[in-house]
Structures are given as C-alpha cells and as structure tokens.
Amino acid sequence: MRRVVEIWPFRATVRYSRELAEALRTETVGGIVMLFATLAALIWANVSFASYEALRTATFGPAFLHLDLELRQWAQNGLLTIFFFVAGIEVKEEFVHGELANLRKAALPVLASICGMVVPALVYLLVSWGAPEAGRGWAIPTATDIAFALAVLAVTASAMPAALRAFLLTCAVVDDLGAIGVIAVFFTEHLNLLALAAGAVAIALYGLLQARRVRGLWAYLPLALLAWYFVEISGVHATVAGVALGLMTRVHSGPGEERSPAELADHRLRPLSAGFVVPVFAFLSAGVVLDAEGLGAIFDDRVVLGVVAGLVVGKFLGVFGGAWLAVRLGLARLSEELHWRDMAAVSILAGIGFTVSLLIGGLAYGHDPERTNAVTTGVLVASLVSSVLAAILLRVRVRNHVSAQDDV
C-alpha cells in the first residue's frame, strides 16, 4: 500500500503534464495562453509601468561572450528561436507533404500570402509618408500571427470546411518564411562574416547528421546552440538560425523510426513554444500604457496609423486580392467547399499581426522607446479589430454553411 501511495502522485503528475502538453498543441489553448499573457502585461504596465520596464530591461548573461542582454532581448533573440524552429519545420512539412508540395494547390495560398505582404507594406508607406523615420517600419504590418489567427478560427468557426483552415495555415507558413527573410535582409546593420560563416557551418553539420540519420539529442543540441550563438553575434537576428535548423530537419521517417525527426521535434517543442516561449515574449513585449495619450498616438502618429491601416485594410486587400488574382489568372482554383465570402472573412483574420509584428516593431524602433510603445499599441489595436471583424463574419458564414447543408 505504501508503494502505491508514493507512486500514485508521480503518475498523476505525468498524466496531467501529458494532457497539458496535448492541449497546448491545439491552436485554441495556445492562443488563449498568449492572450492571458498579453492581458497580464497590459495590467502590470498600467498599474506600475516603472516596475514592468525594470523587469524587461534587466540585463544578465556572460559579457565576455557578448550575451549580456536585456530580458526582453533574451525573449526576442533566444526564446523566439524555438518558435521559429517550429515554424521552419512547418514550412518544410508543407513543402514536402502539404499544400506547397503541389504547385497547383500551392498557387492560391502562396500568391495570397505574397500579396498579403506587399500590399500592407504599400498601404503603410502611403499612410505614413513624410513621418519621421517612417521607412523603418514598413515591414511591421506584413506579418500574420499564426497562433492567434488559427485560435480565432478554431473558436468562432470550427464548423467551417477544412479547406479554409488549410488555406490560412499555408498562408501563415509562407508569411513566416517571408518575415524571417525580411528580418535577415533588412534588419542586419552590422555583419560579422566570420561569425556568420561559423553559424552556417554548424547548421550544415546539423543537416548532414540529419541526412545520415544520426539519432540522439546529444548530437544535435550542441550544434543548435552553436548555430544560435554564432548567428546571434554575427549581427543577423538569431531567429534566422531557428528557421534554418527547422528547414534542415528531416521530415521522412527512416527504418525503425515510428516518427520522422521533424514530427518528433514538433511534438515535443510545440507545447513549449505555445505554452511558454510565445507567452513570455508577449508578456515582455505587449506592456504599454493605455491612456488617452497612448491611444491618441494612433491618430496623431502617422507611423502608428500606417501600421493599423496596413494590418486591418492592407492585409485584407492583399490576401483576398492575391487569391482572387490567382484564380482569375487560371493559376489556381477555389475549393468547391468555399465561397468568396469565406475568403473575405479569413483575409480579414490575416490582419492579426501580433508576435512577428511586435518583433519587427522592436527591431525597427528599438532605439526609440516612445515610438516602440506607440507601434506596439497600434499592433494590439489592429489585431483586436481584425479579430472582432473576422469573428463576426466567420459566425455569419458558419450559419450560412449550416443552412445550406440543412437545405440539402
């Protein structure tokens, strides 16, 4: 009896941990956790901004390795690397097994995603033209937050055809790939070529071990840490290393393997990413003072107004217009399950920027805390507006789909 009493709590803890991990693999729970982290940051910042700012600007790390970073920098450059590693795996899976493996199927979400990056940037530049340092923020409204967008879709429109979720997921995956390219190319000011080469070697060795089907975390973790470190000190944003490693991860299972390394890594890291990485980043990035002055900056600062217009208006025009153009040119076709009104609703949903928009905003205006806070406010407001509008339209579309099925 004593043995049962001692072991039972441990078994219960393991079971609950597994159940929690499974829950965090769903978009709904991950989005809710991130939402609570954002609300906690906003509450703390508005109750005592000084203590909140002191927390996220606290510096620690070995200075001799050039890693004496602020806490929010550790979240941006360190933790988000895990998020982008998972994103890199998703991109690889999409290219090998998903929508992107078929050119005909890929044309619709790819063109929609490309236009969904270009048009918001143009809308932003048009609205912010002439504002001080406006050119630095053009990439902020180009991103879609995959976790929040899929969470809203799951909560409000779970009865919608699966093709709609597949379209949004593929768009978001291509969007993430484009965003990391933008970060690597346009937000690298000082480049250390030797460190970058060392990082590339570490990533190549990781890929070689994957190709040779070497097993064991001991072989990959040191290379991943080295790749992250060298890319971090090279001047290129460290999250690029995460995407590169994800793309190098093997997506086919070999002899004796129940799962491919990519599937196994995704299974283990997705709960960590959704339950810890992204919420911590959101908590350390989203804390802004929401007073009359802060909210007024949305209308007084054309950069912030450009961010809001780019996400709410530009994303809709870009994603919907890109999809329509792909079909109109005969490059793709719309699924028989979907209507263009469904595409309009999900195109508005793409205006939820959040994680990557906040990251790019911090990179663009990190030298100006006041502008950074104003841009953060704009991203939050735009994401909220896009969420509400999309949720309303999606609920209407759900009722229409249900009515159509009943009629049949």
Side-chain angles (χ1 to χ4, degrees), residues 279-295:
V280 168
F281 169 76
F283 178 76
L284 294 173
S285 302
V288 291
V289 178
L290 297 178
D291 54 11
E293 181 180 351
L295 294 175

Side-chain angles (χ1 to χ4, degrees), residues 134-392:
R136 296 182 64 88
W138 65 270
I140 297 172
T142 62
T144 295
D145 189 285
I146 186 171
F148 254 154
L150 289 174
V152 172
L153 183 64
V155 170
T156 62
S158 59
M160 290 292 283
L164 193 66
R165 183 188 181 279
F167 171 81
L168 179 61
L169 177 61
T170 308
C171 277
V173 166
V174 176
D175 198 282
D176 281 342
L177 188 60
I180 205 67
V182 167
I183 291 171
V185 174
F186 295 99
F187 292 97
T188 300
E189 297 181 357
H190 307 289
L191 188 61
N192 183 330
L193 291 176
L194 185 61
L196 186 60
V201 169
I203 293 169
L205 288 174
Y206 176 97
L208 180 63
L209 293 181
Q210 283 286 307
R212 292 183 175 275
R213 303 185 186 279
V214 174
R215 302 179 187 178
L217 186 62
W218 61 269
Y220 295 105
L221 186 57
L223 286 174
L225 291 174
L226 284 174
W228 175 84
Y229 171 70
F230 284 121
V231 173
E232 164 67 18
I233 66 172
S234 73
V236 176
H237 201 268
T239 51
V240 174
V243 172
L245 291 169
L247 291 173
M248 288 289 181
T249 304
R250 182 162 48 87
V251 297
H252 293 290
S253 57
E257 293 178 335
E258 294 183 2
R259 297 178 176 178
S260 69
E263 187 180 358
L264 188 60
D266 182 272
H267 183 79
R268 291 177 175 175
L269 292 179
R270 187 172 293 277
L272 176 64
S273 176
F276 180 74
V277 169
V278 175
V280 168
F281 169 76
F283 178 76
L284 294 173
S285 302
V288 291
V289 178
L290 297 178
D291 54 11
E293 181 180 351
L295 294 175
I298 296 176
F299 304 99
D300 295 337
D301 189 336
R302 277 184 292 162
V303 167
V304 182
L305 194 59
V307 169
V308 175
L311 284 170
V312 177
V313 179
K315 270 292 183 180
F316 167 73
L317 294 176
V319 174
F320 185 81
W324 180 85
L325 188 64
V327 174
R328 186 72 174 175
L329 294 177
L331 300 174
R333 64 180 182 85
L334 190 65
S335 171
E336 295 179 356
E337 299 178 304
L338 299 178
H339 190 278
W340 281 112
R341 293 190 184 95
D342 302 327
M343 299 299 291
V346 84
S347 297
I348 294 175
L349 193 59
I352 303 176
F354 207 74
T355 305
V356 182
S357 290
L358 291 179
L359 173 62
I360 295 176
L363 295 175
Y365 297 111
H367 62 285
D368 185 349
E370 185 176 345
R371 173 61 65 76
T372 301
N373 289 337
V375 165
T376 299
T377 302
V379 171
L380 294 177
V381 169
S383 298
L384 177 61
V385 170
S386 295
S387 300
V388 172
L389 290 177
I392 293 172

Side-chain angles (χ1 to χ4, degrees), residues 48-66:
S48 176
F49 184 76
S51 61
Y52 173 78
E53 186 69 8
L55 172 69
R56 68 178 180 176
T57 57
T59 301
F60 67 96
F64 71 95
L65 291 176
H66 305 287

Side-chain angles (χ1 to χ4, degrees), residues 101-142:
N102 185 301
L103 291 178
R104 183 75 173 177
K105 290 183 178 180
L108 187 68
V110 167
L111 280 177
S113 185
I114 292 173
C115 292
M117 296 184 73
V118 173
V119 175
L122 294 176
V123 170
Y124 166 86
L125 291 172
L126 182 65
V127 174
S128 66
W129 188 263
E133 294 191 309
R136 296 182 64 88
W138 65 270
I140 297 172
T142 62

